[in-house]
Amino acid sequence: MTGTLFVVATPIGNLEDITLRALRVLKEVDVIACEDTRVTQRLVKNYKIETQLVSYHQHSERGKIEFLIDKLKQGKDVALVSDAGTPGISDPGRLMVMAAAEEGIKVEAVAGPSAVAAALSVSGLPTDRFLFLGFLPHKKKRSTMLKEIVDAKQTVVFYESVHRILKLLEEFKDLELEREIVVIRELTKKFEASYRGLPTEVYRQLINDKVKGEFVVIVASK
Ligand code: SAM
């Protein structure tokens, strides 16, 4: 019998945000395939989990996929984790899931945190329909994407890095995006904060508060 590939969500900051099932699965599987073993090491050490970790770099995904598929075919169970949150959501994992599915290997979701869901849940903006854009492109296609946000008829949510968050707010100002936005920083961590208002207002709040950490941006619909 082949093993099972468990796609396991892990905390996005606060180490307590992990399900009982995730802890059990991480303990019971034969191998944990991680994005960065040093990051996952901190998590497993905290929960006294001694399962073998193997790295799963996006760039060597092909070779690693074959290695992991072999394990699964030998009847071993594999857990796939990313550095934070849900694998496959703006993170590696998709190709491994596809490869397992093509081999007829059982793939199970061990559901848990994801920054996109956590941010939407505290945004106060309508979430009955939303458009998730992952990370915006840096160069080519950025202006097309920004236009899509300006024209969106539903709430838009995306990830933005600390290096570009102020630039993004300036771009919104230039595009005269006069709508409520919510920028959420450091979800579940010590310096968690939400900034709300028009882009110019959020810009001012962020500058006053020091621009540091990880961000999710949510934009109200047109
Ligand atoms: N797979 C992850 C998930 O399910 O949340 C997302 C991984 S993506 C590579 C990382 C980005 O998610 C960060 O740059 C940031 O925009 C967002 N993010 C992750 N953790 C966050 C947190 N604690 N607070 C705010 N944003 C976060």
mmCIF file of all heavy atoms in Angstrom, residues 2-10 21-34 51 68 72 75-82 85-88 92-93 96-97 100 105-111:
data_model
loop_
_atom_site.group_PDB
_atom_site.id
_atom_site.type_symbol
_atom_site.label_atom_id
_atom_site.label_comp_id
_atom_site.label_asym_id
_atom_site.label_seq_id
_atom_site.Cartn_x
_atom_site.Cartn_y
_atom_site.Cartn_z
ATOM 1 N N THR A 2 0.429 2.242 -0.780
ATOM 2 C CA THR A 2 1.208 3.491 -0.788
ATOM 3 C C THR A 2 0.887 4.307 0.474
ATOM 4 O O THR A 2 -0.152 4.104 1.109
ATOM 5 C CB THR A 2 0.870 4.359 -2.023
ATOM 6 O OG1 THR A 2 -0.535 4.584 -2.044
ATOM 7 C CG2 THR A 2 1.304 3.699 -3.307
ATOM 8 N N GLY A 3 1.793 5.233 0.789
ATOM 9 C CA GLY A 3 1.566 6.096 1.948
ATOM 10 C C GLY A 3 0.643 7.256 1.592
ATOM 11 O O GLY A 3 0.094 7.315 0.490
ATOM 12 N N THR A 4 0.492 8.158 2.552
ATOM 13 C CA THR A 4 -0.358 9.346 2.345
ATOM 14 C C THR A 4 0.517 10.594 2.388
ATOM 15 O O THR A 4 1.443 10.685 3.194
ATOM 16 C CB THR A 4 -1.439 9.425 3.448
ATOM 17 O OG1 THR A 4 -2.235 8.253 3.380
ATOM 18 C CG2 THR A 4 -2.317 10.655 3.308
ATOM 19 N N LEU A 5 0.194 11.534 1.512
ATOM 20 C CA LEU A 5 0.846 12.843 1.567
ATOM 21 C C LEU A 5 -0.070 13.781 2.344
ATOM 22 O O LEU A 5 -1.197 14.051 1.921
ATOM 23 C CB LEU A 5 1.067 13.392 0.154
ATOM 24 C CG LEU A 5 1.614 14.816 0.090
ATOM 25 C CD1 LEU A 5 3.044 14.889 0.639
ATOM 26 C CD2 LEU A 5 1.584 15.354 -1.336
ATOM 27 N N PHE A 6 0.395 14.237 3.504
ATOM 28 C CA PHE A 6 -0.375 15.180 4.316
ATOM 29 C C PHE A 6 0.157 16.597 4.049
ATOM 30 O O PHE A 6 1.358 16.836 4.207
ATOM 31 C CB PHE A 6 -0.220 14.867 5.806
ATOM 32 C CG PHE A 6 -0.795 13.542 6.218
ATOM 33 C CD1 PHE A 6 0.001 12.407 6.276
ATOM 34 C CD2 PHE A 6 -2.139 13.425 6.545
ATOM 35 C CE1 PHE A 6 -0.522 11.176 6.657
ATOM 36 C CE2 PHE A 6 -2.684 12.195 6.927
ATOM 37 C CZ PHE A 6 -1.875 11.068 6.979
ATOM 38 N N VAL A 7 -0.727 17.491 3.656
ATOM 39 C CA VAL A 7 -0.324 18.881 3.427
ATOM 40 C C VAL A 7 -0.720 19.646 4.701
ATOM 41 O O VAL A 7 -1.901 19.854 4.973
ATOM 42 C CB VAL A 7 -1.014 19.454 2.175
ATOM 43 C CG1 VAL A 7 -0.578 20.887 1.930
ATOM 44 C CG2 VAL A 7 -0.672 18.583 0.958
ATOM 45 N N VAL A 8 0.298 19.995 5.480
ATOM 46 C CA VAL A 8 0.052 20.441 6.857
ATOM 47 C C VAL A 8 0.274 21.948 7.020
ATOM 48 O O VAL A 8 1.361 22.463 6.740
ATOM 49 C CB VAL A 8 0.991 19.687 7.838
ATOM 50 C CG1 VAL A 8 0.697 20.085 9.282
ATOM 51 C CG2 VAL A 8 0.868 18.178 7.662
ATOM 52 N N ALA A 9 -0.745 22.637 7.507
ATOM 53 C CA ALA A 9 -0.603 24.071 7.796
ATOM 54 C C ALA A 9 0.101 24.243 9.135
ATOM 55 O O ALA A 9 -0.165 23.505 10.094
ATOM 56 C CB ALA A 9 -1.979 24.726 7.836
ATOM 57 N N THR A 10 1.004 25.220 9.182
ATOM 58 C CA THR A 10 1.765 25.492 10.416
ATOM 59 C C THR A 10 1.567 26.971 10.799
ATOM 60 O O THR A 10 1.041 27.751 9.995
ATOM 61 C CB THR A 10 3.265 25.169 10.206
ATOM 62 O OG1 THR A 10 3.749 25.977 9.129
ATOM 63 C CG2 THR A 10 3.481 23.696 9.905
ATOM 64 N N ARG A 21 -4.302 17.875 15.415
ATOM 65 C CA ARG A 21 -4.104 16.895 14.329
ATOM 66 C C ARG A 21 -2.765 17.123 13.633
ATOM 67 O O ARG A 21 -2.055 16.166 13.318
ATOM 68 C CB ARG A 21 -5.261 16.998 13.334
ATOM 69 C CG ARG A 21 -5.136 16.009 12.213
ATOM 70 C CD ARG A 21 -6.432 15.879 11.437
ATOM 71 N NE ARG A 21 -6.210 15.047 10.284
ATOM 72 C CZ ARG A 21 -6.388 15.436 9.023
ATOM 73 N NH1 ARG A 21 -6.804 16.669 8.755
ATOM 74 N NH2 ARG A 21 -6.156 14.620 8.037
ATOM 75 N N ALA A 22 -2.431 18.395 13.415
ATOM 76 C CA ALA A 22 -1.145 18.686 12.767
ATOM 77 C C ALA A 22 -0.002 18.125 13.616
ATOM 78 O O ALA A 22 0.929 17.496 13.081
ATOM 79 C CB ALA A 22 -0.982 20.186 12.567
ATOM 80 N N LEU A 23 -0.071 18.323 14.924
ATOM 81 C CA LEU A 23 1.002 17.827 15.801
ATOM 82 C C LEU A 23 1.087 16.303 15.736
ATOM 83 O O LEU A 23 2.170 15.733 15.649
ATOM 84 C CB LEU A 23 0.760 18.285 17.248
ATOM 85 C CG LEU A 23 0.939 19.782 17.494
ATOM 86 C CD1 LEU A 23 0.588 20.131 18.936
ATOM 87 C CD2 LEU A 23 2.367 20.225 17.184
ATOM 88 N N ARG A 24 -0.081 15.645 15.744
ATOM 89 C CA ARG A 24 -0.082 14.178 15.682
ATOM 90 C C ARG A 24 0.500 13.692 14.348
ATOM 91 O O ARG A 24 1.349 12.810 14.305
ATOM 92 C CB ARG A 24 -1.509 13.634 15.883
ATOM 93 C CG ARG A 24 -1.565 12.096 15.828
ATOM 94 C CD ARG A 24 -2.951 11.553 16.058
ATOM 95 N NE ARG A 24 -3.956 12.048 15.133
ATOM 96 C CZ ARG A 24 -4.070 11.687 13.863
ATOM 97 N NH1 ARG A 24 -3.223 10.823 13.333
ATOM 98 N NH2 ARG A 24 -5.018 12.192 13.093
ATOM 99 N N VAL A 25 0.044 14.321 13.257
ATOM 100 C CA VAL A 25 0.522 13.899 11.927
ATOM 101 C C VAL A 25 2.037 14.112 11.823
ATOM 102 O O VAL A 25 2.769 13.235 11.351
ATOM 103 C CB VAL A 25 -0.249 14.656 10.814
ATOM 104 C CG1 VAL A 25 0.435 14.499 9.471
ATOM 105 C CG2 VAL A 25 -1.686 14.149 10.733
ATOM 106 N N LEU A 26 2.513 15.273 12.280
ATOM 107 C CA LEU A 26 3.954 15.547 12.187
ATOM 108 C C LEU A 26 4.763 14.529 13.000
ATOM 109 O O LEU A 26 5.882 14.172 12.645
ATOM 110 C CB LEU A 26 4.272 16.973 12.648
ATOM 111 C CG LEU A 26 3.732 18.094 11.739
ATOM 112 C CD1 LEU A 26 4.039 19.467 12.327
ATOM 113 C CD2 LEU A 26 4.304 18.000 10.318
ATOM 114 N N LYS A 27 4.160 14.056 14.098
ATOM 115 C CA LYS A 27 4.835 13.029 14.921
ATOM 116 C C LYS A 27 4.813 11.674 14.245
ATOM 117 O O LYS A 27 5.781 10.923 14.300
ATOM 118 C CB LYS A 27 4.110 12.904 16.273
ATOM 119 C CG LYS A 27 4.780 13.686 17.352
ATOM 120 C CD LYS A 27 4.203 13.393 18.732
ATOM 121 C CE LYS A 27 4.656 14.530 19.610
ATOM 122 N NZ LYS A 27 3.612 15.111 20.434
ATOM 123 N N GLU A 28 3.693 11.365 13.593
ATOM 124 C CA GLU A 28 3.494 9.992 13.095
ATOM 125 C C GLU A 28 4.088 9.706 11.717
ATOM 126 O O GLU A 28 4.370 8.562 11.403
ATOM 127 C CB GLU A 28 1.988 9.674 13.070
ATOM 128 C CG GLU A 28 1.425 9.460 14.468
ATOM 129 C CD GLU A 28 -0.075 9.204 14.476
ATOM 130 O OE1 GLU A 28 -0.718 9.187 13.396
ATOM 131 O OE2 GLU A 28 -0.613 9.042 15.582
ATOM 132 N N VAL A 29 4.238 10.742 10.884
ATOM 133 C CA VAL A 29 4.727 10.477 9.518
ATOM 134 C C VAL A 29 6.195 10.024 9.550
ATOM 135 O O VAL A 29 6.887 10.188 10.550
ATOM 136 C CB VAL A 29 4.598 11.725 8.586
ATOM 137 C CG1 VAL A 29 3.143 12.051 8.310
ATOM 138 C CG2 VAL A 29 5.344 12.920 9.161
ATOM 139 N N ASP A 30 6.639 9.489 8.416
ATOM 140 C CA ASP A 30 8.022 9.011 8.324
ATOM 141 C C ASP A 30 8.977 10.152 7.996
ATOM 142 O O ASP A 30 10.132 10.137 8.396
ATOM 143 C CB ASP A 30 8.111 7.918 7.252
ATOM 144 C CG ASP A 30 7.251 6.729 7.634
ATOM 145 O OD1 ASP A 30 7.694 5.938 8.480
ATOM 146 O OD2 ASP A 30 6.105 6.625 7.135
ATOM 147 N N VAL A 31 8.485 11.116 7.233
ATOM 148 C CA VAL A 31 9.334 12.228 6.797
ATOM 149 C C VAL A 31 8.523 13.515 6.773
ATOM 150 O O VAL A 31 7.352 13.507 6.384
ATOM 151 C CB VAL A 31 9.851 11.967 5.348
ATOM 152 C CG1 VAL A 31 10.501 13.193 4.761
ATOM 153 C CG2 VAL A 31 10.811 10.805 5.304
ATOM 154 N N ILE A 32 9.156 14.630 7.188
ATOM 155 C CA ILE A 32 8.529 15.945 6.999
ATOM 156 C C ILE A 32 9.323 16.667 5.912
ATOM 157 O O ILE A 32 10.533 16.909 6.069
ATOM 158 C CB ILE A 32 8.538 16.787 8.293
ATOM 159 C CG1 ILE A 32 7.823 16.056 9.434
ATOM 160 C CG2 ILE A 32 7.906 18.165 8.049
ATOM 161 C CD1 ILE A 32 7.929 16.744 10.795
ATOM 162 N N ALA A 33 8.661 16.986 4.811
ATOM 163 C CA ALA A 33 9.316 17.722 3.726
ATOM 164 C C ALA A 33 9.063 19.200 3.972
ATOM 165 O O ALA A 33 7.918 19.636 4.046
ATOM 166 C CB ALA A 33 8.735 17.306 2.384
ATOM 167 N N CYS A 34 10.161 19.973 4.157
ATOM 168 C CA CYS A 34 9.969 21.394 4.497
ATOM 169 C C CYS A 34 10.665 22.310 3.511
ATOM 170 O O CYS A 34 11.616 21.928 2.845
ATOM 171 C CB CYS A 34 10.455 21.736 5.889
ATOM 172 S SG CYS A 34 11.412 20.534 6.730
ATOM 173 N N THR A 51 10.633 13.549 14.116
ATOM 174 C CA THR A 51 10.544 13.037 12.742
ATOM 175 C C THR A 51 11.657 13.631 11.867
ATOM 176 O O THR A 51 12.022 14.809 12.032
ATOM 177 C CB THR A 51 9.163 13.428 12.154
ATOM 178 O OG1 THR A 51 8.173 13.068 13.102
ATOM 179 C CG2 THR A 51 8.894 12.741 10.838
ATOM 180 N N LEU A 68 10.506 11.945 -2.778
ATOM 181 C CA LEU A 68 9.341 11.841 -1.882
ATOM 182 C C LEU A 68 8.289 10.874 -2.444
ATOM 183 O O LEU A 68 7.666 10.122 -1.691
ATOM 184 C CB LEU A 68 8.732 13.231 -1.648
ATOM 185 C CG LEU A 68 9.642 14.206 -0.876
ATOM 186 C CD1 LEU A 68 9.086 15.620 -0.914
ATOM 187 C CD2 LEU A 68 9.843 13.749 0.568
ATOM 188 N N LEU A 72 6.662 7.545 -0.707
ATOM 189 C CA LEU A 72 5.215 7.296 -0.620
ATOM 190 C C LEU A 72 4.863 5.938 -1.246
ATOM 191 O O LEU A 72 4.046 5.190 -0.705
ATOM 192 C CB LEU A 72 4.444 8.440 -1.299
ATOM 193 C CG LEU A 72 4.455 9.765 -0.527
ATOM 194 C CD1 LEU A 72 4.221 10.949 -1.459
ATOM 195 C CD2 LEU A 72 3.389 9.763 0.572
ATOM 196 N N GLY A 75 5.231 3.023 0.820
ATOM 197 C CA GLY A 75 4.268 2.905 1.921
ATOM 198 C C GLY A 75 4.544 3.869 3.069
ATOM 199 O O GLY A 75 3.895 3.822 4.112
ATOM 200 N N LYS A 76 5.516 4.754 2.878
ATOM 201 C CA LYS A 76 5.830 5.726 3.944
ATOM 202 C C LYS A 76 4.879 6.920 3.837
ATOM 203 O O LYS A 76 4.492 7.310 2.730
ATOM 204 C CB LYS A 76 7.264 6.251 3.801
ATOM 205 C CG LYS A 76 8.306 5.183 3.634
ATOM 206 C CD LYS A 76 8.810 4.719 4.965
ATOM 207 C CE LYS A 76 10.020 3.808 4.822
ATOM 208 N NZ LYS A 76 10.012 2.735 5.828
ATOM 209 N N ASP A 77 4.553 7.518 4.983
ATOM 210 C CA ASP A 77 3.731 8.731 4.991
ATOM 211 C C ASP A 77 4.640 9.953 5.007
ATOM 212 O O ASP A 77 5.672 9.958 5.684
ATOM 213 C CB ASP A 77 2.824 8.757 6.223
ATOM 214 C CG ASP A 77 1.717 7.717 6.136
ATOM 215 O OD1 ASP A 77 1.273 7.422 5.015
ATOM 216 O OD2 ASP A 77 1.312 7.202 7.196
ATOM 217 N N VAL A 78 4.229 10.973 4.274
ATOM 218 C CA VAL A 78 5.029 12.201 4.167
ATOM 219 C C VAL A 78 4.157 13.393 4.555
ATOM 220 O O VAL A 78 3.011 13.489 4.114
ATOM 221 C CB VAL A 78 5.553 12.391 2.722
ATOM 222 C CG1 VAL A 78 6.250 13.732 2.557
ATOM 223 C CG2 VAL A 78 6.490 11.251 2.319
ATOM 224 N N ALA A 79 4.713 14.309 5.370
ATOM 225 C CA ALA A 79 4.021 15.578 5.651
ATOM 226 C C ALA A 79 4.753 16.673 4.896
ATOM 227 O O ALA A 79 5.982 16.726 4.900
ATOM 228 C CB ALA A 79 4.032 15.877 7.145
ATOM 229 N N LEU A 80 3.990 17.524 4.257
ATOM 230 C CA LEU A 80 4.569 18.646 3.527
ATOM 231 C C LEU A 80 4.226 19.919 4.294
ATOM 232 O O LEU A 80 3.060 20.168 4.593
ATOM 233 C CB LEU A 80 3.931 18.684 2.134
ATOM 234 C CG LEU A 80 4.385 19.761 1.179
ATOM 235 C CD1 LEU A 80 5.749 19.399 0.616
ATOM 236 C CD2 LEU A 80 3.394 19.904 0.040
ATOM 237 N N VAL A 81 5.262 20.690 4.644
ATOM 238 C CA VAL A 81 5.013 21.967 5.335
ATOM 239 C C VAL A 81 5.787 23.072 4.627
ATOM 240 O O VAL A 81 6.769 22.803 3.937
ATOM 241 C CB VAL A 81 5.445 21.931 6.833
ATOM 242 C CG1 VAL A 81 4.697 20.873 7.617
ATOM 243 C CG2 VAL A 81 6.949 21.739 6.981
ATOM 244 N N SER A 82 5.338 24.315 4.812
ATOM 245 C CA SER A 82 6.127 25.443 4.323
ATOM 246 C C SER A 82 6.656 26.188 5.550
ATOM 247 O O SER A 82 6.422 25.760 6.680
ATOM 248 C CB SER A 82 5.280 26.337 3.418
ATOM 249 O OG SER A 82 4.179 26.839 4.118
ATOM 250 N N GLY A 85 2.235 28.998 7.592
ATOM 251 C CA GLY A 85 0.910 28.969 6.967
ATOM 252 C C GLY A 85 0.652 27.705 6.173
ATOM 253 O O GLY A 85 1.204 26.633 6.464
ATOM 254 N N THR A 86 -0.147 27.855 5.143
ATOM 255 C CA THR A 86 -0.598 26.700 4.372
ATOM 256 C C THR A 86 0.272 26.499 3.131
ATOM 257 O O THR A 86 0.388 27.417 2.319
ATOM 258 C CB THR A 86 -2.086 26.908 3.971
ATOM 259 O OG1 THR A 86 -2.846 27.077 5.175
ATOM 260 C CG2 THR A 86 -2.621 25.711 3.213
ATOM 261 N N PRO A 87 0.875 25.319 2.988
ATOM 262 C CA PRO A 87 1.689 25.062 1.786
ATOM 263 C C PRO A 87 0.846 25.238 0.530
ATOM 264 O O PRO A 87 -0.358 24.956 0.536
ATOM 265 C CB PRO A 87 2.116 23.594 1.954
ATOM 266 C CG PRO A 87 1.994 23.312 3.408
ATOM 267 C CD PRO A 87 0.855 24.167 3.896
ATOM 268 N N GLY A 88 1.488 25.707 -0.524
ATOM 269 C CA GLY A 88 0.767 25.856 -1.798
ATOM 270 C C GLY A 88 0.085 27.204 -1.955
ATOM 271 O O GLY A 88 -0.292 27.583 -3.055
ATOM 272 N N PRO A 92 5.721 26.978 -2.017
ATOM 273 C CA PRO A 92 5.872 25.725 -2.768
ATOM 274 C C PRO A 92 4.902 24.658 -2.266
ATOM 275 O O PRO A 92 4.403 24.763 -1.152
ATOM 276 C CB PRO A 92 7.315 25.306 -2.475
ATOM 277 C CG PRO A 92 7.951 26.384 -1.719
ATOM 278 C CD PRO A 92 6.913 27.343 -1.257
ATOM 279 N N GLY A 93 4.697 23.661 -3.071
ATOM 280 C CA GLY A 93 3.835 22.550 -2.648
ATOM 281 C C GLY A 93 2.975 22.007 -3.767
ATOM 282 O O GLY A 93 2.693 20.815 -3.826
ATOM 283 N N MET A 96 4.315 19.053 -5.876
ATOM 284 C CA MET A 96 4.347 17.800 -5.115
ATOM 285 C C MET A 96 2.940 17.200 -5.036
ATOM 286 O O MET A 96 2.753 15.994 -5.201
ATOM 287 C CB MET A 96 4.895 18.102 -3.708
ATOM 288 C CG MET A 96 5.037 16.899 -2.824
ATOM 289 S SD MET A 96 6.202 15.689 -3.477
ATOM 290 C CE MET A 96 5.518 14.178 -2.812
ATOM 291 N N VAL A 97 1.965 18.052 -4.808
ATOM 292 C CA VAL A 97 0.572 17.589 -4.723
ATOM 293 C C VAL A 97 0.142 17.000 -6.074
ATOM 294 O O VAL A 97 -0.443 15.912 -6.138
ATOM 295 C CB VAL A 97 -0.365 18.746 -4.292
ATOM 296 C CG1 VAL A 97 -1.829 18.363 -4.459
ATOM 297 C CG2 VAL A 97 -0.079 19.143 -2.845
ATOM 298 N N ALA A 100 1.840 13.607 -6.668
ATOM 299 C CA ALA A 100 1.229 12.552 -5.845
ATOM 300 C C ALA A 100 -0.131 12.158 -6.422
ATOM 301 O O ALA A 100 -0.443 10.970 -6.557
ATOM 302 C CB ALA A 100 1.084 13.044 -4.408
ATOM 303 N N ILE A 105 -1.659 8.640 -5.375
ATOM 304 C CA ILE A 105 -1.345 8.656 -3.938
ATOM 305 C C ILE A 105 -2.358 9.554 -3.214
ATOM 306 O O ILE A 105 -2.724 10.629 -3.725
ATOM 307 C CB ILE A 105 0.101 9.169 -3.726
ATOM 308 C CG1 ILE A 105 1.085 8.109 -4.239
ATOM 309 C CG2 ILE A 105 0.377 9.508 -2.273
ATOM 310 C CD1 ILE A 105 2.481 8.609 -4.485
ATOM 311 N N LYS A 106 -2.794 9.108 -2.050
ATOM 312 C CA LYS A 106 -3.788 9.877 -1.303
ATOM 313 C C LYS A 106 -3.161 11.178 -0.770
ATOM 314 O O LYS A 106 -2.075 11.139 -0.181
ATOM 315 C CB LYS A 106 -4.280 9.017 -0.134
ATOM 316 C CG LYS A 106 -5.558 9.471 0.465
ATOM 317 C CD LYS A 106 -6.091 8.392 1.402
ATOM 318 C CE LYS A 106 -7.190 8.970 2.250
ATOM 319 N NZ LYS A 106 -7.329 8.268 3.511
ATOM 320 N N VAL A 107 -3.860 12.298 -0.986
ATOM 321 C CA VAL A 107 -3.371 13.588 -0.485
ATOM 322 C C VAL A 107 -4.426 14.121 0.494
ATOM 323 O O VAL A 107 -5.596 14.217 0.153
ATOM 324 C CB VAL A 107 -3.207 14.611 -1.637
ATOM 325 C CG1 VAL A 107 -2.669 15.940 -1.121
ATOM 326 C CG2 VAL A 107 -2.288 14.064 -2.728
ATOM 327 N N GLU A 108 -3.991 14.426 1.722
ATOM 328 C CA GLU A 108 -4.945 14.935 2.720
ATOM 329 C C GLU A 108 -4.505 16.304 3.225
ATOM 330 O O GLU A 108 -3.323 16.509 3.510
ATOM 331 C CB GLU A 108 -5.015 13.986 3.926
ATOM 332 C CG GLU A 108 -5.870 12.774 3.676
ATOM 333 C CD GLU A 108 -6.072 11.943 4.939
ATOM 334 O OE1 GLU A 108 -6.008 12.497 6.060
ATOM 335 O OE2 GLU A 108 -6.278 10.736 4.779
ATOM 336 N N ALA A 109 -5.486 17.205 3.363
ATOM 337 C CA ALA A 109 -5.193 18.533 3.918
ATOM 338 C C ALA A 109 -5.298 18.473 5.441
ATOM 339 O O ALA A 109 -6.281 17.975 5.982
ATOM 340 C CB ALA A 109 -6.196 19.544 3.374
ATOM 341 N N VAL A 110 -4.268 18.963 6.107
ATOM 342 C CA VAL A 110 -4.352 19.137 7.560
ATOM 343 C C VAL A 110 -4.485 20.656 7.744
ATOM 344 O O VAL A 110 -3.506 21.390 7.770
ATOM 345 C CB VAL A 110 -3.125 18.543 8.273
ATOM 346 C CG1 VAL A 110 -3.253 18.720 9.777
ATOM 347 C CG2 VAL A 110 -2.973 17.061 7.914
ATOM 348 N N ALA A 111 -5.731 21.088 7.801
ATOM 349 C CA ALA A 111 -6.055 22.522 7.695
ATOM 350 C C ALA A 111 -5.594 23.316 8.914
ATOM 351 O O ALA A 111 -5.533 22.797 10.030
ATOM 352 C CB ALA A 111 -7.560 22.673 7.508
#
